Amino acid sequence: MYKKLVFAVCLLMTVFALPAQEARYEVKSAIIQKTMEMMGQQMENIQYIDDYGSKETIVMKMTIPGAGSSIEVRTINKGDTIISINMTNKTGQRTVLPEKPVNFRKITPEIKEKYELKEEGQEQIAGKMCNKYSMVVTQMGVKASSTVWIWKGITLKSVTSVSGMTVTELTTGILENVAPSAEFFTIPDGVTIQ
């Protein structure tokens, strides 16, 4: 149950990360450290961005409550598909996104209407001035209300309420123009994708 919930939240979080074909960020490359809090649990995320976002991977590390074990999930953005890999047991799942995520650098009237997107001002996160937006997203029949803080197209903070649960993701550090290792953007050897 917990793993399925984590997968659903990860899928919803991809709404804030665009498909890999678009150069969607104003930063050529970056390594962004984040924390995520969900159901009282805190997780560590590292977002790897290269080539203005045409390559993007999120690595999430968490401890499973009650089990005392840890899990590492690597989510690779491949255009309209995400590949979520459990690095602990070397299995993964390929998921086609049901719709294209929001491009915060190209907000159109259609996007504003579809997502009930509203500008909420500006606020500084991790030393970067962000544009703040509220929105409502429906992915795979799940409705989520979110507030996001966007810097150069990149989500530095998000607070998402879905199914009575609140998920908060917050950037704690940013390394700009540091090219991540190519290994983060490929499926590791020995991983079985279902």
Side-chain angles (χ1 to χ4, degrees):
M1 170 65 179
Y2 185 76
K3 289 180 185 179
K4 287 181 181 180
L5 185 57
V6 168
F7 176 74
V9 168
C10 289
L11 186 59
L12 276 170
M13 298 307 276
T14 63
V15 168
F16 313 121
L18 289 170
Q21 289 98 327
E22 291 187 39
R24 61 203 185 266
Y25 303 138
E26 294 176 41
V27 176
K28 180 172 180 1
S29 59
I31 299 173
I32 304 171
Q33 296 173 316
K34 298 180 179 184
T35 59
M36 179 188 288
E37 188 173 317
M38 175 180 71
M39 295 173 32
Q41 296 294 327
Q42 192 150 13
M43 295 162 252
E44 301 294 324
N45 291 351
I46 301 177
Q47 181 177 7
Y48 298 94
I49 298 169
D50 201 7
D51 197 21
Y52 298 96
S54 67
K55 298 176 188 171
E56 183 174 13
T57 295
I58 298 171
V59 176
M60 178 173 58
K61 295 180 182 181
M62 66 186 140
T63 301
I64 300 172
S69 60
S70 297
I71 187 170
E72 179 178 320
V73 177
R74 183 181 296 186
T75 304
I76 303 170
N77 243 328
K78 294 278 189 185
D80 63 351
T81 302
I82 59 168
I83 302 166
S84 295
I85 302 167
N86 179 328
M87 297 297 291
T88 306
N89 66 15
K90 303 289 186 192
T91 60
Q93 183 173 341
R94 187 180 312 264
T95 305
V96 176
L97 296 174
E99 59 185 82
K100 192 174 182 177
V102 176
N103 182 343
F104 288 99
R105 292 184 59 218
K106 299 177 182 176
I107 297 174
T108 64
E110 293 80 19
I111 288 174
K112 283 184 176 184
E113 182 179 338
K114 180 177 183 176
Y115 296 106
E116 302 174 37
L117 188 75
K118 295 181 182 117
E119 296 177 31
E120 303 287 349
Q122 293 187 316
E123 191 174 322
Q124 202 169 79
I125 304 294
K128 308 294 184 187
M129 188 55 69
C130 298
N131 293 320
K132 183 177 174 182
Y133 301 95
S134 61
M135 60 192 295
V136 177
V137 177
T138 303
Q139 287 272 345
M140 299 174 67
V142 178
K143 189 173 185 175
S145 298
S146 296
T147 302
V148 294
W149 288 257
I150 307 296
W151 169 74
K152 295 188 176 188
I154 303 168
T155 303
L156 295 190
K157 180 179 178 183
S158 65
V159 178
T160 303
S161 296
V162 57
S163 301
M165 171 181 64
T166 299
V167 179
T168 302
E169 185 177 52
L170 177 64
T171 295
T172 58
I174 302 170
L175 296 173
E176 287 182 69
N177 299 315
V178 175
S181 171
E183 74 178 89
F184 288 109
F185 307 111
T186 60
I187 298 170
D189 291 338
V191 171
T192 303
I193 303 295
Q194 302 170 4

